Amino acid sequence: MTLNVEKNNKPSSKTWDKVSENYTNFINDDEIDLAIELMMLFNSLDLDIDNSLLELGSGSGHLSGIFSKYGYEVSLLDFSEVALSKSMDFFNNHSMEGHFIKGDLMELNLLDQQYDVTWNSGVMEHFDDKSLFESLKSIRRVTKKKFIFLVPNPDSLPYLLFRQKLMAEGKWEYGEEYLRNDYDAFLEKSGFKLIKKEFLGWNYSESQLKMLLKNNIPTKGLSKLVKNNLFSKENSYLIAYVAEPYHTSEMEHNWKGEFKGNTEAKTHIFDQIANQIHGSIGSSSTFNRKYLEITSTINQTFECLLNAVNPCSDSEEVTSNMQVFIDNVNCLIQMSEDVIDEESNVKFEELLKSIDSILGKFIEEYKNGYITNCKALVNKQLLLKFDEWQSYLSRYIEPDLQKDKEQSED
């Protein structure tokens, strides 16, 4: 049976804990310029320093820190313990004042107050359609006046080339970033009115171009071209969306997938092309590509499985996630068999049989409505077997990847 499945992808705290480890107390010129651009945007919206600011997904905290220095009352929320620890250290190091909140922007109903301005930069692009809708509804609950968010510009050539280069070199560490042009539709459906859209962060675009061209770029010349409208500002790295909440009590829509566009498909195609290039750099081996596909699908399968046994999920969500999970398992089995040779197949087939057996029990318990039993099977058996699966594939395939890399370097 084939179902019309809606995935529910959202940022992972594990991904951002890892990214956060590289945060420092140093503020670079691009961050200072972006903070100034944002404060100019605040001024144009009559948002002076008397307005309270809440950064949702605060990361390094550098931008909020600069706002604090200029007199704004700032609060920072993040679901990453590492990020919050780093940002607190940054604030202390620079003698700045701020309030820090460990929390998830999908669960802002747990906060006990509203803020004049909620905002973030480099966060909303990580949500798929369904999760974006739910996150915006959550944000609306704590927003008094304005919600301002900055996302990568999906039409910026410097950004697209920069992203493709990092992916092609296997250096992309920022998780899923959706190439989205339909934020306005999601804002409207979740209870916001879009009042302004502005291109920002040209300095980041210059940095991306410098990296792509290995610093052989006349930066000042490019800036002059932009200022004189000879190089479109629409190639800037970021787009700032400014929205305000509707003051009505009837904005409690539920997700029905009715405004699903082509964002997810477009992003998937872009990433697939970039990763295929990665597979061809320094290696002619199909193992490289297959291993990347397998590990990516295993991670997606974990998420679907956990969503399927989430007690907060309704029956339609559980059914959809179960179908995605089963489809992914079938796909994984086929993909794994393609890269395992005959000699290694005996042990691997035993592993697959044990996974298949546990899956059978899972489906039986699920059909009988024993969700608690399902969760126990996931936590105690199935995820351990998946770890074993991924570990086995790593041991078998990664030596091949290393060998290919060494040969390419020679």
Side-chain angles (χ1 to χ4, degrees):
M1 177 175 67
T2 303
L3 299 176
N4 183 15
V5 175
E6 296 292 344
K7 291 191 296 182
N8 193 5
N9 288 339
K10 55 186 179 182
S12 158
S13 58
K14 287 183 181 178
T15 297
W16 291 99
D17 280 344
K18 185 176 179 182
V19 172
S20 302
E21 288 171 1
N22 296 319
Y23 293 156
T24 70
N25 290 329
F26 173 73
I27 307 173
N28 64 44
D29 290 342
D30 289 342
E31 290 173 318
I32 294 171
D33 289 337
L34 182 59
I36 292 170
E37 285 186 287
L38 269 171
M39 285 189 284
M40 289 173 65
L41 178 60
F42 291 166
N43 288 336
S44 73
L45 299 167
D46 295 323
L47 298 172
D48 56 28
I49 60 172
D50 293 329
N51 288 274
S52 58
L53 306 181
L54 171 63
E55 184 177 5
L56 298 164
S58 51
S60 68
H62 289 183
L63 295 178
S64 280
I66 296 171
F67 299 154
S68 175
K69 279 287 190 184
Y70 276 83
Y72 283 94
E73 176 192 335
V74 301
S75 297
L76 298 81
L77 178 144
D78 208 293
F79 66 177
S80 166
E81 294 272 11
V82 180
L84 275 182
S85 175
K86 292 271 190 174
S87 56
M88 283 190 274
D89 184 57
F90 166 70
F91 267 63
N92 290 333
N93 188 269
H94 292 276
S95 302
M96 298 178 296
E97 293 185 8
H99 178 54
F100 299 87
I101 306 167
K102 169 73 164 62
D104 191 328
L105 65 78
M106 301 289 280
E107 300 172 347
L108 296 177
N109 57 307
L110 300 177
L111 299 186
D112 57 2
Q113 69 177 95
Q114 286 190 314
Y115 296 81
D116 295 318
V117 180
T118 54
W119 75 279
N120 57 38
S121 177
V123 174
M124 306 311 293
E125 70 271 18
H126 297 290
F127 293 93
D128 69 0
D129 289 356
K130 183 176 181 179
S131 294
L132 177 63
F133 175 68
E134 295 299 335
S135 66
L136 287 170
K137 284 206 306 180
S138 177
I139 291 167
R140 185 183 172 277
R141 293 189 183 103
V142 296
T143 304
K144 280 185 187 177
K145 297 180 182 179
K146 299 285 189 294
F147 171 45
I148 301 169
F149 63 99
L150 280 62
V151 290
N153 175 6
D155 298 319
S156 166
L157 187 58
Y159 161 63
L160 293 175
L161 292 174
F162 171 77
R163 171 172 165 168
Q164 184 185 36
K165 176 178 171 61
L166 290 187
M167 286 183 165
E169 294 174 350
K171 296 177 181 177
W172 184 260
E173 57 180 16
Y174 307 106
E176 193 88 65
E177 276 193 10
Y178 290 98
L179 300 170
R180 185 180 296 282
N181 283 307
D182 54 3
Y183 286 104
D184 51 346
F186 283 85
L187 285 166
E188 182 183 351
K189 291 291 184 181
S190 55
F192 282 102
K193 179 182 178 182
L194 179 65
I195 61 171
K196 193 170 188 177
K197 190 170 144 182
E198 196 167 307
F199 294 99
L200 302 177
W202 172 253
N203 282 354
Y204 282 95
S205 297
E206 288 184 350
S207 297
Q208 289 165 350
L209 286 170
K210 285 175 71 175
M211 190 276 286
L212 288 164
L213 300 173
K214 297 182 179 177
N215 289 320
N216 295 322
I217 179 171
T219 306
K220 290 182 180 178
L222 266 176
S223 298
K224 287 181 181 178
L225 289 175
V226 174
K227 287 176 183 174
N228 287 281
N229 297 318
L230 296 173
F231 193 101
S232 172
K233 202 174 181 183
E234 293 180 4
N235 270 293
S236 292
Y237 170 48
L238 297 167
I239 299 179
Y241 288 83
V242 181
E244 56 188 17
Y246 285 117
H247 296 290
T248 174
S249 60
E250 62 178 64
M251 296 304 300
E252 279 303 320
H253 293 111
N254 291 317
W255 171 262
K256 296 177 182 175
E258 68 269 32
F259 34 94
K260 185 177 176 69
N262 68 344
T263 295
E264 292 175 22
K266 181 170 71 173
T267 304
H268 176 72
I269 291 169
F270 180 94
D271 292 352
Q272 192 174 43
I273 290 170
N275 282 319
Q276 281 173 353
I277 294 171
H278 174 207
S280 66
I281 291 179
S283 172
S284 58
S285 172
T286 58
F287 287 147
N288 192 327
R289 293 190 297 276
K290 287 292 182 183
Y291 178 65
L292 287 171
E293 290 171 9
I294 291 166
T295 51
S296 173
T297 309
I298 285 175
N299 290 333
Q300 290 172 18
T301 304
F302 279 178
E303 286 188 25
C304 292
L305 194 58
L306 294 173
N307 287 336
V309 294
N310 186 338
C312 298
S313 300
D314 58 33
S315 58
E316 188 178 338
E317 281 184 305
V318 172
T319 304
S320 293
N321 278 303
M322 274 303 302
Q323 183 62 50
V324 174
F325 170 68
I326 292 166
D327 289 347
N328 276 1
V329 168
N330 291 331
C331 177
L332 277 166
I333 290 170
Q334 183 59 53
M335 290 160 69
S336 301
E337 287 175 346
D338 286 345
V339 297
I340 301 298
D341 66 12
E342 216 171 290
E343 210 174 296
S344 305
N345 255 334
V346 177
K347 183 178 177 182
F348 190 63
E349 280 179 6
E350 287 175 4
L351 177 60
L352 292 182
K353 280 178 184 175
S354 63
I355 290 174
D356 191 51
S357 172
I358 299 168
L359 179 57
K361 291 177 189 173
F362 182 95
I363 293 171
E364 187 179 339
E365 297 286 359
Y366 167 70
K367 284 180 178 176
N368 291 327
Y370 301 128
I371 296 297
T372 304
N373 293 352
C374 287
K375 197 162 188 176
L377 280 169
V378 170
N379 291 332
K380 294 180 181 178
Q381 295 186 46
L382 204 51
L383 292 186
L384 293 175
K385 287 294 180 185
F386 267 76
D387 282 339
E388 189 181 341
W389 188 349
Q390 191 163 10
S391 174
Y392 179 67
L393 288 169
S394 299
R395 287 198 305 274
Y396 180 75
I397 295 171
E398 285 182 347
D400 247 13
L401 303 185
Q402 185 61 34
K403 184 179 176 184
D404 286 335
K405 184 180 178 183
E406 288 169 0
Q407 287 176 349
S408 69
E409 288 173 352
D410 291 343

